[in-house]
Amino acid sequence: MVAERREPYSPEQEALNNLPFLVEQSIIETRDLQRQFNGFKPGTDLVNLYKKSNRYRYVYGETQRLKRQARKSREINKLRNDFAGEVFQDIAYSVCALDCDDSRVLLSPEKTSELWITLYPDKEIVTHLYGQEALENAYVPDGLIVDKSKGLVVKLYEYSLVRMNERDLEDQLKAIRIQYERFPWLLSEASVEFVIPMTFPSPRLRDQEDRVKFLQLPITRVEFGHFIDGLYNGMR
C-alpha cells in the first residue's frame, strides 16, 4: 500500500487552520483583561489601572533586569524608549479588549504577530526586546478583533505613541491596503482603528476613509512621559 502524498499547506491555508486556536487562546486573555480593567471609563487614571495588571509586573521586572545589563548610555536610552513603547502597547491592548463581547475576541500583539508570521513564511523573523516576534521590514498589525462565528477580522488596531502627520498616516494606510488586497478572505470586513494619546490631534485623511477611526486614550503624551520617566529612573 502506497501512502498518499499530501501537498504542503499554503501560507493562507496554514493561517486559516491556525486562527481558531489563536482565537480560543485569546478568549481567556481577553476576559482576564476585561476583569482587570473593568473600572475603565472616560477620565479613568489609566496609569494606576495598568499598574495593577499582571502584564505590568512582568514588563517592570524585565526592564529592571535589562537595565542592570545595559552598559552604554546609548543602550540605556534605547531601553527607555522600548520600555515606553511596550507599556503604551499594553495599555492600548487592555483598553481595546473592552470592545469585545461574546461574539468577538481581541488577539494580543504576540498572537497577531504569530498569525502574520504564518502568512509570510519567507520573511525573516526578528525578536523584540520583550520577547515578541515580528517580521523584518514587513508590516504587522498591533492587534486584531476576530468575529468568532465568521472567522474574519472585523477590526485591525494600530497602537501609536509616535505623532503622525498626514504623510505618515498615508504611508501606514498604504501598507494596510496591501494587506486588504492580499488577504481579502481574512480582512474583507475589517475596519482600522489607531489608538493614540489624548493630546494627539487626529491626522486628516487625504482621501475619504470611512473604515478608519481614531481612539484617543485618556492620557496625554506628557503625562505618559512623566510616568515612564518616574518608573525607569527609579529602577535599580
Side-chain angles (χ1 to χ4, degrees):
M1 181 176 178
V2 179
E4 181 183 353
R5 182 178 179 181
R6 295 185 179 181
E7 293 296 326
Y9 288 132
S10 67
E12 290 81 3
Q13 186 61 51
E14 190 74 30
L16 193 60
N17 291 343
N18 196 27
L19 185 58
F21 297 102
L22 296 176
V23 167
E24 191 65 29
Q25 294 166 0
S26 298
I27 291 173
I28 296 174
E29 293 177 355
T30 299
R31 288 175 180 169
D32 189 47
L33 285 172
Q34 289 174 332
R35 178 183 57 79
Q36 293 181 49
F37 278 73
N38 64 1
F40 174 78
K41 57 185 178 180
T44 298
D45 186 343
L46 265 181
V47 165
N48 283 328
L49 203 58
Y50 173 67
K51 287 173 72 173
K52 297 175 183 178
S53 69
N54 297 332
R55 179 66 181 174
Y56 167 77
R57 288 187 283 274
Y58 164 75
V59 172
Y60 186 87
E62 190 68 1
T63 305
Q64 279 187 309
R65 182 184 68 81
L66 292 166
K67 189 176 181 182
R68 286 194 295 268
Q69 293 176 353
R71 293 291 179 265
K72 300 177 182 178
S73 59
R74 182 176 57 190
E75 293 175 348
I76 293 174
N77 291 336
K78 182 181 185 305
L79 177 59
R80 188 268 181 204
N81 292 335
D82 287 344
F83 175 52
E86 190 74 13
V87 171
F88 185 80
Q89 175 177 266
D90 283 346
I91 290 175
Y93 166 48
S94 302
V95 171
C96 291
L98 301 176
D99 194 28
C100 297
D101 52 30
D102 291 339
S103 66
R104 311 192 314 168
V105 66
L106 174 62
L107 268 59
S108 67
E110 292 79 12
K111 287 185 171 55
T112 299
S113 290
E114 184 177 339
L115 182 65
W116 242 249
I117 287 170
T118 306
L119 290 170
Y120 288 96
D122 296 331
K123 292 286 187 180
E124 183 178 349
I125 299 173
V126 295
T127 302
H128 291 169
L129 201 58
Y130 292 88
Q132 181 182 338
E133 292 185 334
L135 296 172
E136 181 75 22
N137 298 322
Y139 171 80
V140 179
D142 290 325
L144 303 169
I145 286 188
V146 179
D147 184 301
K148 292 189 286 186
S149 63
K150 295 180 179 179
L152 289 174
V153 174
V154 294
K155 187 178 289 187
L156 183 153
Y157 279 116
E158 284 296 321
Y159 310 139
S160 182
L161 184 58
V162 179
R163 186 185 298 274
M164 291 186 295
N165 56 33
E166 289 182 27
R167 183 171 182 177
D168 295 330
L169 178 60
E170 188 58 35
D171 288 343
Q172 189 83 329
L173 290 175
K174 183 178 179 180
I176 293 172
R177 290 188 199 106
I178 292 173
Q179 309 305 305
Y180 276 87
E181 294 168 2
R182 185 161 185 176
F183 309 117
W185 53 271
L186 181 65
L187 301 172
S188 61
E189 298 185 14
S191 61
V192 180
E193 188 156 293
F194 290 86
V195 185
I196 58 179
M198 187 169 58
T199 48
F200 280 17
S202 300
R204 292 195 310 171
L205 299 169
R206 294 181 182 178
D207 301 316
Q208 185 63 31
E209 291 275 2
D210 55 356
R211 293 203 293 184
V212 178
K213 299 184 184 305
F214 296 89
L215 171 62
Q216 294 194 0
L217 298 180
I219 184 170
T220 68
R221 195 170 191 273
V222 172
E223 290 169 342
F224 183 76
H226 288 328
F227 166 59
I228 291 296
D229 286 340
L231 281 179
Y232 191 70
N233 294 334
M235 290 179 182
R236 295 292 182 265

